[in-house]
Amino acid sequence: MNTAFNNLVIYNGYPLSVVVAVAFHSFILAFLIWVQSSSNIDSLELVQPTIIKALFIDENPQVRNERILERQRLERVEQQRIAREEEQQRQQEEADRQAALERQQAEAEAERERQALLEREELERQRQLELERRLEREQRELEEQRQRDLAEAERRRQIEEAERQRQQAAAEAAAAEAARTEFELVQSATAIIQMAVQQVWNRPPSARNGMRVILQIRMLPTGELLDARITESSGDPAFDRSAENAAYSAAPFTELQSLPINVFNANFRTLSLIFQPEDLLN
Amino acid sequence: MNDGISLIELILNASPAVQIVMLILFFLSIASWVIIVQRWLVLSSARKGVFSFEQRFWSGMDLSQLYKEGSQMQQDNMQIVGMENIFRAGFKEFMRLRQQGAVDGEAIMEGAQRAMRVAYSREEEKLEKHLAFLATVGSVSPYVGLFGTVIGIMNSFLGLATQAQATLQVVAPGIAEALFATGMGLFAAIPAVVAFNRYSALLDMVTSSYITFSDEFSSILHRQVHST
C-alpha cells in the first residue's frame, strides 16, 4: 500500500469512498450523454431532385427557306465580284503591256506618254476603289436587310404567341365560368322540379319503405311535360301510378323557360326522377 | 429518441418540482455509494482482522505476550480493530482484578466477561454504523422517484388540458422527464438494497465470530482462574 492510498483509507476510508462514488456517478452520466449524442448522428437528409427544364423551339420553315435563299444570293454576288476583279486585272496587264510597247516605240514621247499613263492609272485606280466601296456597301446593306427581316419575323412570332396564350387563358376562364354557372343553374332547376313533384305526390296506402320508382320524363323548353315513362318499377302498380300522376300534375315547369337553351338541351330534355318513400314508418 | 430532445435538455426543461426530486435522488445515490464503498472497506478489513487475529491467538503464543504486542501497536499509532479489542478489554480487566488480589474466581470471571461484552457491543456498533442509511435509501428512493413521476405526468396532462388539439408531441416530453425520475429512483435504490443485504450477511458472520471468540476466551480465562 503506498502513501496516497493510505491517506485515502485513514479516517475510516471516507475520502476514498467519496472519490469512488463521485467518479462512478460522473462516469455513468458521461456514458449516458455519449450514448445520446452518438444515437443522434444518423438524421434524415432530404435529397432534392434536380429539375431540368425542357424547352421546345420550333423552326419556322418559311424563315429557314428565306435564310437559305439569302445565302445563295450572297454567294452569287461574291462570285460576280471575283470575276470583275479578274477582268480588271487582265485589263491592267493589257495596259501595262501597251505602255511598255509604246515606251519601246517612242522614247521621246515617253515622258508625255508616261504622264498620260499615270493619269489613266490614277483614274483606273479611283474607279476600282469606287467599285470596291460600292460592292462593300451593297453587301452591308444586304446584311442589314437580312438582320432586320429576321428580327421582324421573331417579333411577329412572339406577338402571335402571346396573343395565342392570352386567348387560350381567356377561353379557359370563360369555359370554367360557364361550367360553374351551368352547374348552379342545373342544380337550382332540378331542386325546383323535385319540390314541385314532391308537393303533389300522393302516396298510396300500399307504399312501403324501400320501394323505388324511377320515372323518366321528357320535357319541352317551355317546361311542358311531353311524357313520363317508368324505367324501373317498384313492383306495386299503385305506387308506380302515383308517381306518374305526380309528375303529370306538377307539370308544366315554367321555371325551365328561363334557362339558356343549350343548358336545357344538355340536362332537361330527359330527366330521371327517383321516387322513394323514405319517411314512412313501415 | 432519434431527434430533438437530448438527456441534458430533458433534465433542464423539466418542471421545478421534478428537478428537485431528481436532485434529491442524485445526492441520495451519491451518498449511498459513499456508504457502500466505506462499509465495504470497514467490513472486509474486519473480516480479514478476524482471520489474522484468530491465527495469532491460536498459534500457542503466550496471552500476555499477545497483549504486549497490541500495546506496542497502539503506541505506534496503529489502530486496533475488532476481535483484538475484545481480547484486550477482557484480558486487561482479568489481569487488573487478579493484581488487586481478588480471591473470588467467579467475580474475576464476571468482570472479564462484562468488559468483553462492552467491547463487543462497541465493535458491533462500529460495524453496523450507516447500514440503516442504506436500507432507508433502498426502500425510500423508488417512492421519491415515483413522486417525481406523478408530478411530472400531472403537469404534462395539465398542459394538455389547455391545448385545443391533443397530440403526442405535447405530452411526450413531460412523460419522458417523469419516467426519468423513476429511473433515477431505481438507480439509487438497487445498489443500496443489494449492498445492504450483502453487508448484513457479512456483519452477522463477523459478529457471530466475535461472540464465539469471547466465549472461547472466557473459557480459557476460566481455566486459568480455577487452575491456580
Side-chain angles (χ1 to χ4, degrees):
Chain A
M1 262 195 266
N2 54 20
T3 49
F5 191 71
N6 244 336
N7 283 341
L8 286 176
V9 172
I10 57 169
Y11 307 118
N12 288 328
Y14 278 113
L16 176 71
S17 315
V18 171
V19 168
V20 168
V22 170
F24 175 72
H25 282 83
S26 29
F27 170 76
I28 285 189
L29 266 183
F31 178 75
L32 281 178
I33 289 165
W34 176 75
V35 165
Q36 278 277 321
S37 59
S38 65
S39 71
N40 275 353
I41 289 168
D42 46 352
S43 62
L44 273 178
E45 203 159 303
L46 279 177
V47 179
Q48 284 245 324
T50 49
I51 296 168
I52 297 167
K53 196 174 176 184
L55 266 177
F56 179 72
I57 302 169
D58 60 342
E59 203 179 16
N60 196 337
Q62 198 185 345
V63 171
R64 195 183 55 207
N65 287 345
E66 275 174 7
R67 229 179 271 150
I68 289 166
L69 284 175
E70 192 76 37
R71 207 180 305 131
Q72 285 171 354
R73 200 153 54 84
L74 276 175
E75 275 170 10
R76 262 205 312 283
V77 166
E78 182 71 12
Q79 278 170 3
Q80 282 171 3
R81 196 175 60 81
I82 288 165
R84 263 202 303 276
E85 274 176 0
E86 277 172 356
E87 175 73 13
Q88 274 170 14
Q89 206 156 4
R90 211 164 48 75
Q91 281 176 1
Q92 202 172 351
E93 275 170 11
E94 179 73 16
D96 283 351
R97 203 170 50 79
Q98 276 181 3
L101 209 73
E102 278 168 14
R103 214 167 33 244
Q104 277 178 1
Q105 280 174 356
E107 193 65 34
E109 276 179 350
E111 186 63 29
R112 198 164 45 81
E113 280 288 321
R114 204 162 51 84
Q115 198 72 29
L117 193 70
L118 270 173
E119 274 174 18
R120 216 170 51 221
E121 272 181 357
E122 179 69 17
L123 267 173
E124 183 74 13
R125 206 162 52 81
Q126 274 180 1
R127 199 169 58 80
Q128 192 184 342
L129 217 70
E130 199 178 327
L131 192 72
E132 273 177 5
R133 220 178 285 135
R134 198 165 54 78
L135 266 169
E136 201 179 327
R137 203 167 54 232
E138 220 171 66
Q139 203 175 346
R140 209 166 49 228
E141 273 172 9
L142 271 167
E143 180 69 20
E144 275 170 6
Q145 178 69 26
R146 199 171 61 83
Q147 293 280 356
R148 262 204 306 280
D149 284 356
L150 272 174
E152 178 70 18
E154 177 68 16
R155 202 166 57 79
R156 257 206 312 277
R157 205 172 56 79
Q158 279 175 359
I159 289 169
E160 275 169 12
E161 179 73 13
E163 179 70 16
R164 202 172 53 75
Q165 279 178 0
R166 205 165 53 75
Q167 279 175 359
Q168 197 178 344
E172 275 171 8
E177 177 73 12
R180 199 169 59 77
T181 51
E182 187 183 326
F183 179 70
E184 279 170 5
L185 281 172
V186 170
Q187 285 280 308
S188 66
T190 312
I192 288 166
I193 293 173
Q194 273 177 358
M195 219 185 303
V197 173
Q198 215 166 15
Q199 273 172 2
V200 296
W201 184 27
N202 281 318
R203 281 167 296 201
S206 60
R208 293 286 178 275
N209 265 345
M211 279 185 171
R212 204 164 103 109
V213 174
I214 297 182
L215 199 66
Q216 195 178 54
I217 57 175
R218 294 203 293 137
M219 286 178 288
L220 294 178
T222 54
E224 282 172 273
L225 187 65
L226 212 60
D227 69 344
R229 203 159 52 80
I230 290 165
T231 54
E232 191 188 309
S233 169
S234 64
D236 182 13
F239 190 73
D240 293 359
R241 232 181 356 265
S242 77
E244 229 173 326
N245 288 340
Y248 278 114
S249 52
F253 309 105
T254 48
E255 294 83 2
L256 293 182
Q257 288 171 7
S258 61
L259 282 179
I261 188 66
N262 60 340
V263 175
F264 179 86
N265 281 339
N267 299 289
F268 293 106
R269 271 280 160 208
T270 59
L271 187 68
S272 285
L273 294 175
I274 301 171
F275 290 79
Q276 234 171 341
E278 291 290 352
D279 51 345
L280 291 177
L281 280 176
N282 47 357
Chain B
M1 285 198 216
N2 48 5
D3 65 328
I5 304 163
S6 76
L7 198 70
I8 301 292
E9 271 178 74
L10 195 72
I11 294 171
L12 291 181
N13 293 338
S15 59
V18 179
Q19 274 179 339
I20 288 171
V21 165
M22 283 178 183
L23 206 68
I24 288 172
L25 284 174
F26 187 70
F27 283 119
L28 273 183
S29 178
I30 284 186
S32 76
W33 272 92
V34 168
I35 301 299
I36 286 169
V37 175
Q38 193 264 343
R39 280 297 99 181
W40 180 71
L41 290 175
V42 168
L43 285 170
S44 63
S45 73
R47 197 178 53 170
K48 260 184 262 166
V50 165
F51 288 135
S52 65
F53 183 74
E54 277 192 325
Q55 230 166 15
R56 272 162 68 205
F57 186 79
W58 297 114
S59 66
M61 193 192 274
D62 186 25
L63 290 185
S64 55
Q65 178 65 29
L66 199 60
Y67 184 79
K68 271 179 206 149
E69 269 181 20
S71 309
Q72 186 62 41
M73 276 164 74
Q74 238 169 359
Q75 277 171 4
D76 291 348
N77 250 341
M78 280 178 78
Q79 274 204 323
I80 291 174
V81 288
M83 206 177 262
E84 197 169 357
N85 265 340
I86 297 171
F87 161 73
R88 283 176 65 79
F91 194 72
K92 199 164 143 191
E93 187 68 20
F94 178 76
M95 292 307 280
R96 193 180 291 154
L97 284 174
R98 274 191 116 181
Q99 276 162 15
Q100 278 173 2
V103 268
D104 192 2
E106 289 304 315
I108 295 172
M109 279 309 299
E110 249 178 50
Q113 273 174 347
R114 201 181 307 117
M116 280 196 288
R117 258 203 312 281
V118 170
Y120 164 76
S121 61
R122 275 212 195 98
E123 286 301 314
E124 193 186 26
E125 194 186 325
K126 261 194 232 166
L127 288 181
E128 68 185 9
K129 205 159 86 179
H130 297 314
L131 272 189
F133 177 79
L134 281 185
T136 310
V137 169
S139 56
V140 160
S141 62
Y143 294 117
V144 176
L146 203 61
F147 174 69
T149 301
V150 168
I151 287 185
I153 289 185
M154 211 169 75
N155 277 342
S156 68
F157 277 115
L158 283 179
L160 192 66
T162 60
Q163 297 274 328
Q165 191 136 27
T167 58
L168 201 56
Q169 277 78 20
V170 180
V171 279
I175 290 177
E177 95 192 19
L179 291 179
F180 191 66
T182 308
M184 282 187 74
L186 293 178
F187 177 78
I190 291 168
V193 170
V194 170
F196 177 73
N197 288 334
R198 174 93 185 88
Y199 293 167
S200 296
L202 208 58
L203 182 73
D204 275 350
M205 200 192 95
V206 172
T207 48
S208 69
S209 69
Y210 284 178
I211 289 169
T212 315
F213 170 75
S214 60
D215 282 348
E216 284 166 347
F217 183 50
S218 58
S219 74
I220 289 172
L221 291 181
H222 191 262
R223 229 182 291 139
Q224 276 201 352
V225 167
H226 291 282
S227 64
T228 50

